[in-house]
Amino acid sequence: MKSMDSLLIRAAFKLPVERTPIWIMRQAGRYLPEYLAVREKAGSFLDLCMNPDLAAEVSIQPLDLMEVDAVIMFSDILTPLIGMGVDLDFNPGPDIKNPVQSVRDIEKLLIPDPSESTAYVGKILRLIRKAVAGRAPVIGFAGAPFTLACYLLENSNLKPFTKLTTLFFDDPDTAHLLMRKLTRMTIDYLNYQIENGAQMVQIFDTWAGLFNPADFETHIFPYVSEIISSLDKKGEVPVVYYINGSNHLLDSMSRTGADVIGLDWKTDIGEAQRLIGERVSLQGNLNPNILFCRPEVISRKAEEIIRSYHGETGHIFNLGHGIDKSVDPQHLLHLVRTVKQLTTRNG
Ligand code: CP3
């Protein structure tokens, strides 16, 4: 199967599909007992990320167990920072021992060769492609510069973002220096993933909703657009751009060059479609907490989203943010089957 044949890639490019594809952010993770068993075997979370055989195994688990339409490689948005000289750990949230505190710290950050610093990622992607053998497309991903900067500056203690805000508004030149380095790293990293088999890539900008539209345009948009326009295989490997809390930024997001905009659950997908649906496909956007509800409720809430989106292609079903670690896997399976059933078109 060529990736263009898959529902996911066709929906991303608004080509005809027989039904709406579905995958789930954080689909490889702690809600699955099978994931926990492999993680136990690997040791720490980072050990698992850097063990290509085991990371490929947990990436593929949701395809077999949850019947989703895509495999996202198992990793984290922060792991490529290690190659820049960042001392990173997870407990289980990110823990950076040497956060960026000065211009000197930014100058010291390295621009790594991804085939050296993240060779394990290339290997994971190749292993997944081989094992999946065309049954589903493989998604790669990276954190966007702004969201990486959030973690780099304030560690896992993210609130109240005082350091980040003062850097961007008191000292925009220094912020620019940091964003430039993170942009350069991310371009090389995503192109390395594409070279090694990623058939779609998602850029996670979880925290970019912190800024208002004007500040987003000045401080975030140029870097994200540069990343997207610098990717190899544009028009063949679709790009998804995701922000959590993005209702006020949809118009800007749709002009970054991304093929697909990932919506959080607070946005009405029908309204988003009226606003930006001509330009881009949409991904999302069930409230992740709905997966704790009864199966009938899950079906009803999924149906509301499916009915709000008009048109026969251009929608990729997903949650509005990652799946919670306490969700019953049977509830996710119910969602996946419901979406497939509700969106299958006859003939
Ligand atoms: O989607 C997938 O299944 C692929 C794997 C994936 C992980 N993290 C695995 C992970 C992806 C795509 C991510 C992205 C990520 N990581 C984001 C962007 C998306 C978002 O959630 O907003 C962010 C902000 C991070 C940073 C990060 N990594 C946090 C905040 C945490 C702690 C979260 C928690 O649930 O405790 C992590 C750790 C992490 N990344 C885990 C997993 C499965 C849990 C660690 C474990 O298994 O012990």
Side-chain angles (χ1 to χ4, degrees), residues 22 212 299 309:
I22 174 169
N212 71 18
S299 303
Y309 185 88

Side-chain angles (χ1 to χ4, degrees), residues 91-287:
N91 318 287
D95 181 11
I96 290 175
K97 311 280 187 225
N98 55 343
V100 163
Q101 285 169 332
S102 63
V103 181
R104 181 82 195 95
D105 290 343
I106 297 172
E107 285 166 354
K108 275 194 301 198
L109 290 172
L110 308 165
I111 306 291
D113 175 344
S115 69
E116 286 171 13
S117 64
T118 46
Y120 58 93
V121 166
K123 199 153 177 209
I124 293 165
L125 285 164
R126 294 194 300 274
L127 285 170
I128 298 173
R129 282 292 298 266
K130 196 161 166 217
V132 168
R135 277 190 299 147
V138 178
I139 305 171
F141 66 88
F146 182 78
T147 291
L148 295 176
C150 287
Y151 289 96
L152 266 177
L153 287 178
E154 308 206 35
N155 205 350
S156 52
N157 178 23
L158 275 164
K159 295 200 173 97
F161 295 100
T162 45
K163 284 189 189 151
L164 184 90
T165 307
T166 48
L167 177 71
F168 275 81
F169 300 115
D170 271 355
D171 191 358
D173 290 346
T174 303
H176 176 70
L177 186 67
L178 178 59
M179 293 291 278
R180 280 231 42 81
K181 279 202 153 174
L182 292 169
T183 298
R184 189 65 252 157
M185 182 279 286
T186 304
I187 291 168
D188 294 346
Y189 184 51
L190 282 174
N191 278 331
Y192 177 68
Q193 292 180 31
I194 291 167
E195 198 182 302
N196 281 280
Q199 290 157 299
M200 175 166 106
V201 291
Q202 176 152 331
I203 300 173
F204 285 95
D205 213 351
T206 304
W207 297 107
L210 277 174
F211 280 6
N212 71 18
D215 291 329
F216 177 87
E217 288 278 337
T218 308
H219 295 284
I220 301 179
F221 179 93
Y223 306 96
V224 174
S225 309
E226 187 188 338
I227 292 171
I228 295 172
S229 67
S230 307
L231 293 184
D232 299 335
K233 300 200 184 171
K234 259 304 254 163
E236 186 185 334
V237 171
V239 182
V240 187
Y241 182 46
Y242 169 81
I243 297 178
N244 186 11
S246 61
N247 203 31
H248 58 303
L249 301 176
L250 294 176
D251 181 63
S252 299
M253 289 173 84
S254 75
R255 287 184 282 98
T256 54
D259 303 287
V260 184
I261 295 305
L263 302 174
D264 71 82
W265 68 97
K266 288 159 277 182
T267 292
D268 180 284
I269 193 168
E271 269 175 39
Q273 188 184 13
R274 282 190 286 284
L275 204 64
I276 60 172
E278 287 283 312
R279 227 178 261 153
V280 288
S281 291
L282 298 175
Q283 178 175 280
N285 70 341
L286 187 70
N287 181 338

Side-chain angles (χ1 to χ4, degrees), residues 25-28 30 35 39 45 72-77 90 92-94 141 151 204 206 321:
M25 290 191 277
R26 292 274 174 100
Q27 64 186 26
R30 289 172 292 179
Y35 165 83
R39 190 178 171 312
F45 172 70
I72 181 162
M73 69 162 188
F74 187 80
S75 195
D76 194 82
I77 60 165
F90 289 88
F141 66 88
Y151 289 96
F204 285 95
T206 304
H321 196 201

